[in-house]
Amino acid sequence: MKILVIGSGGREHALAWKLAQSPRVKKVFVAPGNGGTARETRVENLPLTDIAQLADFCVAEDIHLTVVGPESPLAAGIVDHFRMRRLRIFGPTQGAAQLESSKAFAKAFMQRHAIPTADHRTFSDALQAHAYIDERGGPLVVKADGLAAGKGVVVAQTPDEAHAAVTDMLERNTYGVRHGEGGARVVIEDFLQGEEASFIVLVDGCNVVPLASSQDHKRLKDGDFGPNTGGMGAYSPAPVVTPEVHARVMREIILPTVQAMAAEGHPYTGFLYAGLMIDAQGRAKTLEFNCRLGDPETQPILMRLKSDLVSVLDAAIDGRLDKLELQWDRRTALAVVMAASGYPEAPRLGDPITSIPKPEDDLRVFHAGTVLDHDVLRTSGGRVLTVTALGDSVRMAQARAYAGVRQIAFDGMQFRQDIGYRAVKR
Ligand code: AMP
Ligand code: GLY
């Protein structure tokens, strides 16, 4: 059978690689793909991004199923369109994807259903937002309402920083956020303390199967300093998600969300990602929902998944997740992102990349912002590569991944030296 993966990042390279391992798969198309998927066995890039054209392609090529990597096609309604044309696709509808595409929708939803999250207010009027910041005082988090590729969030330690963020988001739109119909809006919420984790599950409208836990490093610099990015590294499992925390998150966050989405007429299908803040007592609050897999979390998660991903997605599309049990490699997987010079503000593109290590059982380099230009591999995006390794402990996975990183070079490359440090300390 043939499969289609939509997207062009490290997450999509990992999905394509994993799907191509299935004995039932002849070819995986990746639209539009990158320099890594161009070279992957049984994988082929497809230079299409238009939803109707993608659907035409699925009909013409008899594609068995489509899986969507990034949020934008989901928010644009690709699942609704494919379903209307009776094509098999895994992801949430446009209505369900609002859990990610609108912070204001997600916060109001959580408030309505008593799903733990930080207290918040939503504003479209800058004066009122500024007044709320003065009234609240202390550290606050200001979030643009709309898709901003992980960059529309300002953690403001002081009211001055919060005021500046509101001005940027409501008055100038410096972050390039794609607003919903209501125009520019911001969510201002209380600052939460604790340790973050990514909790990603498969949902078929009613049944839920959790994937292995993971943790991402969102800041650019070692020790979690510097600006927020799409993610500079990740590992799985995340020790902060103990069995008790896991049970609690399922009971207090995931299951109520899935039930309430169905009750409100937006039954959720697809990957659902809850970004959590877990406090010292093991209580978790939801920082955000994403309606897709995380990037780079997917890379270590899929390195550990032993089950056949095609069968897993088939079960999810057919509403049979209650019958599914996933098999995991017991080792830890750890991924280090190598980013371009100037990332995240203004990544420089076009630098040649040398000597990518050959894939092995315990080391794989997933490509993100790369392009094959007459057989020369060049950078073509902010996050360039994710070097992903398996090891018997976090430390061993870390050592293996960084050994891979040291073999790679391109001008101006940036990467963190400390991916996994919280898990090593535990
Ligand atoms: P978000 O896109 O909403 O997940 O926010 C991006 C990042 O900002 C998160 O991964 C956190 O590191 C940080 N963040 C978001 N909301 C809060 C909050 N209420 N308290 C503390 N940090 C937050
Ligand atoms: N790594 C964070 C995300 O995918 O949103």
Side-chain angles (χ1 to χ4, degrees):
M1 58 175 62
K2 295 181 241 176
I3 309 267
L4 174 63
V5 174
I6 295 185
S8 63
R11 167 183 51 207
E12 289 76 22
H13 186 182
L15 277 167
W17 160 74
K18 181 69 190 163
L19 290 161
Q21 304 302 299
S22 171
R24 297 156 63 203
V25 166
K26 193 166 80 185
K27 177 75 72 69
V28 179
F29 293 96
V30 189
N34 58 39
T37 51
R39 283 177 169 172
E40 193 68 57
T41 319
R42 282 197 296 283
V43 175
E44 190 175 317
N45 286 349
L46 178 68
L48 287 182
T49 48
D50 176 77
I51 292 177
Q53 286 179 1
L54 287 164
D56 291 342
F57 176 83
C58 289
V59 174
E61 287 286 328
D62 191 22
I63 298 292
H64 174 68
L65 69 82
T66 298
V67 54
V68 188
E71 60 277 16
S72 338
L74 296 165
I78 190 169
V79 171
D80 311 66
H81 184 88
F82 271 50
R83 283 195 188 156
M84 204 171 63
R85 297 183 59 176
R86 301 193 181 286
L87 293 165
R88 289 167 68 73
I89 186 163
F90 188 57
T93 58
Q94 188 171 41
Q98 287 178 93
L99 275 182
E100 172 166 4
S101 62
S102 167
K103 298 259 183 212
F105 174 90
K107 292 297 289 191
F109 173 88
M110 287 189 270
Q111 200 165 35
R112 244 183 349 265
H113 299 288
I115 292 162
T117 188
D119 284 345
H120 81 287
R121 293 271 300 276
T122 300
F123 299 94
S124 49
D125 181 275
L127 281 178
Q128 286 176 16
H130 289 302
Y132 180 72
I133 292 167
D134 289 332
E135 172 198 321
R136 204 77 182 172
L140 289 168
V141 183
V142 184
K143 303 184 177 189
D145 182 41
L147 293 181
K151 287 160 215 138
V153 173
V154 173
V155 178
Q157 295 301 335
T158 62
D160 280 350
E161 287 171 41
H163 286 305
V166 163
T167 303
D168 280 346
M169 288 177 195
L170 283 185
E171 293 160 39
R172 298 198 195 125
N173 195 18
T174 331
Y175 296 86
V177 173
R178 294 220 319 266
H179 299 302
E181 278 157 25
R185 285 195 293 185
V186 293
V187 170
I188 302 181
E189 65 179 41
D190 291 353
F191 175 78
L192 298 175
Q193 234 136 14
E195 187 170 339
E196 284 181 57
S198 305
F199 200 100
I200 309 176
V201 300
L202 287 148
V203 192
D204 67 7
C206 121
N207 304 295
V208 177
V209 173
L211 298 182
S213 63
S214 58
Q215 192 175 96
D216 174 20
H217 295 63
K218 291 221 170 70
R219 303 295 192 106
L220 182 68
K221 302 281 187 193
D222 283 14
D224 294 321
F225 292 104
N228 261 320
T229 70
M232 292 300 289
Y235 57 96
S236 168
V240 64
V241 183
T242 60
E244 293 72 33
V245 170
H246 190 283
R248 197 164 179 165
V249 171
M250 286 296 284
R251 190 175 66 237
E252 294 181 2
I253 297 172
I254 302 292
L255 296 175
T257 298
V258 170
Q259 279 155 12
M261 287 297 284
E264 292 193 356
H266 296 299
Y268 195 95
T269 50
F271 295 103
L272 177 64
Y273 165 145
L276 305 176
M277 185 69 89
I278 300 166
D279 72 12
Q281 284 73 45
R283 283 180 305 234
K285 286 191 173 164
T286 315
L287 291 177
E288 63 165 347
F289 284 117
N290 293 318
C291 60
R292 50 171 177 81
L293 285 165
D295 188 344
E297 292 94 321
T298 302
Q299 291 86 310
I301 289 174
L302 291 185
M303 280 285 273
R304 293 187 59 221
L305 181 67
K306 286 184 165 172
S307 312
D308 175 46
L309 186 57
V310 177
S311 309
V312 171
L313 297 181
D314 266 335
I317 292 174
D318 296 334
R320 291 186 280 110
L321 284 181
D322 53 331
K323 309 243 171 21
L324 186 83
E325 220 176 292
L326 297 177
Q327 306 297 322
W328 297 101
D329 193 314
R330 298 181 67 83
R331 290 175 289 177
T332 293
L334 185 138
V336 180
V337 169
M338 301 182 74
S341 163
Y343 179 73
E345 276 85 27
R348 190 176 70 207
L349 314 178
D351 289 312
I353 306 165
T354 54
S355 63
I356 304 240
K358 290 230 154 26
E360 288 179 49
D361 162 62
D362 64 349
L363 183 83
R364 249 167 218 286
V365 179
F366 296 112
H367 293 224
T370 72
V371 63
L372 262 185
D373 165 23
H374 301 96
D375 264 1
V376 179
L377 192 66
R378 293 184 187 277
T379 62
S380 66
R383 292 189 291 176
V384 178
L385 301 165
T386 338
V387 183
T388 311
L390 286 164
D392 286 328
S393 64
V394 187
R395 232 180 247 286
M396 288 166 86
Q398 203 180 43
R400 185 78 180 100
Y402 279 105
V405 167
R406 279 194 296 275
Q407 291 183 46
I408 301 170
F410 55 92
D411 248 15
M413 62 189 183
Q414 307 187 67
F415 58 88
R416 281 180 57 161
Q417 310 272 358
D418 65 346
I419 300 303
Y421 78 93
R422 288 180 199 274
V424 170
K425 272 196 307 205
R426 271 174 187 269

